[in-house]
Every structure is written in structure tokens, then in C-alpha cells.
Amino acid sequence: MPLLVIIGYVWPEPKSSAAGYRMLSLIELYLAQGWQVIFASAAEKTDHRADLQRLGVQEQQIVLNDDSFDLWLSTLSVQAVMFDRFMIEEQFGWRVELNCPDALRILDMEDMHSLRHARHQAFKADRPLNTADLNSDIAVREIAAIYRCDITLVISQHEMQLLQQHFSVPSALLCYCPFFIDSDNEQTLLGYDQRQHFVAIGNFRHAPNWQAVLWLKQTIWPLIRQQLPQSHLYIYGAYPPPKATALHNAKEGFYVKGWAEDVADVMQQAKVCLAPLAFGAGLKGKLLDAMQFGTPSVTTDIGAEGMTFADEAWGGIIANDSAAIATAAVTLYQDQQLWLTAQQQGTRILQQKFSAAKLQPVIWQQIQQTSANLAQHRANNFTGIMLQHHAYRSTKFMGQWIEAKNRLPPQ
């Protein structure tokens, strides 16, 4: 049985974040193909992590900057290693290359960290995104990790284009791999008259989500309440800090609820999902949930990015300033026909762009072809060879220096 080792940035929490949901879907993809999977991470285990052992996945606690990882990995017969985000490739890539050089090296980007960072910098400076933002130190690190790996899983078509057109990454190194939805599993969706109020959801540790909550509280929600004074907004998300719970105000109809035990129940009860995202990257799990559970949404261009085609309608309304977002929210809330059309369009987007039955065979074929022709694939990637030669030596020596330093007795 072939073996995949996943080195995780964190232990996957599918109920806390879209990243956790995505990681679980990748694990299930490999399990369905008859692979054995080991998930290893140096992160602390959390109460909300997925029950990987129930899936038959072995868990392995590892340590940063320690040769115990090398000793463990060298005992395994590994056919593929997946790095969860570029920072993990930087930490462990040279150790993987040293101990299992013939294993396929896969980078799962999640979202494109350098793009999210670039947009955040432009947002804080209140100016348009520019080339200097895109060409940041984080971008240099992230693109280098892509070249050092054999194949990179890219979640968004927009990011596929950016990687190829702006950063000139060869298409052979990239694999379009969005969320997977079982579109054949039809469910009965609650109708317009069975729902009320608004919902917003997102992990509070994610900067774009926190900014969206502030935007709602300070500007957008007061505009909505002027027109719908009896309406309520329920905000859910994992790990709410005190500064978030302090925003709760029942008199304003602004309810900060925190952790959502059942996203399906929360989303299905709401009439409209609000996701005013001023910056960010990747695909938005909250909007995927909204479409799955038949809840039309109001979001920004960045929120809807990569989730629909340019000439296609959104499963709701797209708006980009406070007044337009508030107007869109009220209109969608009050117009039953518009609401029903948006709900139906959300279902179509899921079927056309995120169908597991359509996506998984194509993705698996590319992964298998890359693995089958690995020697030639690597020979064609001279930039990757060059970066591996230099970067792995620097990160290797840095890791070994930290390891030696950690072994010194305390002063």
C-alpha cells in the first residue's frame, strides 16, 4: 500500500476553518485511492481537531529543528510527502529530500499567502495593490517553495493565473485543486419564508474575517438597521477574542455568538449571509457553505474571486463599498424572487465549479502522471534544482544550528 506523509502546519479543524475542511478532503482523496496516510505536525493538538484515527489515518507528533524527524522518516517507505503551506516546506523540505529523495513532493498552498499579505498591506495604506506589494519577501519565499516541490495544489483559478502570468511559474508545476463538493447529494433547502435575519461566519484568527466584522459593526450594519430596524445579525466563528465578544450588542441586533457547533444549522436558518471582505486570497469556505445550504450572500469582488466565472451571476449580490453592501443586503432580504434566483445560482456554481465527481479524477491523473515521470519532471525544472541547491543548504544549516543550540545546557 503506497504511503503519503502529510506534514501539517496545524492539526486540521474542518469545523473551524476552510483550510481544515480542505485538508480533510485531500486526505480522503488519497484514502479513496487505496493509500495509507500519516499526518504529522509539530503543532499542539486542539480539542476541535478532526478525528483522523477514525478515518484510519495515523497521527505523528514531530518536533521542529530536531533530527528525530529524520530518524522517524527514514524508517518509512514513503511514496509522497505533502507540505501544508510553504512555511512547512521551508522547515522540513531539506529533511524530506535527504531521507526520501524519490518521494513525490507536493505543496498544498491553501490560499496564496503572499497575495493575502499584499492586499492587506495595500488595505492598511488605503491605496491600490501594486507590483511592490506582490513582489514581497513572502512572495519570494512562497514561489521558491513552489519551484522546490514537484507539484503545487492551487485552490483558486485567479491564483493559477497570477502564478503563471506575474511570477512566470510553469504550468507543469501547478495543479488546480479547489474545494470538493458532492453535488450528487441533493438536499432539501429551507425556503425564503422559513428563514430570517442575517449571518456572518469566519475564524476570528484570520485577519480578513476580523476586518469584516469591524466593517459590519462600524458602518454596514447601522445602515442595514436603518432600513430593517427589527433585523438581527448573528456572527459566528472559531476562537473569538475578547475584543470580538465586546462588540456584542443585543439592542443593536448585533450578536457575536462565537463557535458554531453545526454550520449547516446556523447557515440554513439565515436569510442572507454577509461577507464584506476587504482583502484576502484563496476561496472562501463561508461562501461555499452559504451556497451548499441555500443561503444567498452579499460579498465583495475579493470574496467571490475564483468562485465563479467572469460572465456568470453570483449566488447573491457583489458590492464593494459600505452603502452598496448595505443596499444589496436589504434588497436581497426583501425581494423574494431575487432571493430564489440567487439561491438557484448558488447551486449551479457548486455543480459547475466544485463537483467532486468532475474534479477529483482530473487532479488525481495529474498527480499520478507527475509521479510516474518524476525524474524527467525534475530535470525540466532547473530553477527548482538551483533553488534546492542553495536554499536547502541555508535552511539545513540554520536548522542544524538551532538544533545544536537547543541541546546546550541552560545558562
Side-chain angles (χ1 to χ4, degrees), residues 119-278:
R119 285 173 168 168
H120 196 179
Q121 295 304 109
F123 171 80
K124 289 189 290 187
D126 193 24
R127 56 167 171 74
L129 184 72
N130 60 37
T131 301
D133 294 323
L134 289 172
N135 296 346
S136 66
D137 289 344
I138 293 178
V140 171
R141 293 169 56 195
E142 191 165 34
I143 303 305
I146 290 173
Y147 272 103
R148 288 193 297 263
C149 289
D150 300 311
I151 193 165
T152 293
L153 307 181
V154 186
I155 199 169
S156 164
Q157 288 178 327
H158 175 81
E159 291 169 13
M160 286 283 288
Q161 292 175 357
L162 183 65
L163 288 168
Q164 293 176 75
Q165 295 173 8
H166 180 80
F167 294 105
S168 301
V169 177
S171 60
L173 299 180
L174 306 174
C175 176
Y176 174 55
C177 183
F179 293 121
F180 306 142
I181 297 297
D182 185 0
S183 57
D184 295 329
N185 184 20
E186 294 188 4
Q187 56 182 325
T188 302
L189 302 175
L190 294 182
Y192 177 86
D193 293 330
Q194 297 170 287
R195 301 166 179 250
Q196 58 181 341
H197 305 310
F198 296 85
V199 69
I201 191 166
N203 192 314
F204 282 95
R205 289 179 175 174
H206 195 53
N209 293 336
W210 171 237
Q211 176 57 39
V213 171
L214 290 178
W215 195 4
L216 284 165
K217 174 69 174 182
Q218 296 168 356
T219 311
I220 298 170
W221 184 243
L223 293 174
I224 294 173
R225 283 275 285 191
Q226 286 177 9
Q227 300 179 68
L228 299 173
Q230 302 304 314
S231 61
H232 297 164
L233 169 60
Y234 296 95
I235 296 178
Y236 293 87
Y239 304 107
K243 64 181 180 180
T245 54
L247 299 179
H248 179 96
N249 190 319
K251 291 183 178 179
E252 297 174 355
F254 196 91
Y255 298 85
V256 180
K257 305 293 286 187
W259 179 269
E261 190 63 38
D262 187 344
V263 174
D265 182 61
V266 164
M267 194 63 77
Q268 286 192 92
Q269 299 301 319
K271 188 165 285 186
V272 175
C273 173
L274 301 178
L277 296 165

Side-chain angles (χ1 to χ4, degrees), residues 14-36:
K15 292 186 177 182
S16 299
S17 69
Y21 171 86
R22 172 179 166 77
M23 178 53 70
L24 204 61
S25 71
L26 293 175
I27 290 172
E28 291 170 343
L29 172 64
Y30 268 85
L31 292 176
Q33 297 297 327
W35 282 56
Q36 178 187 357

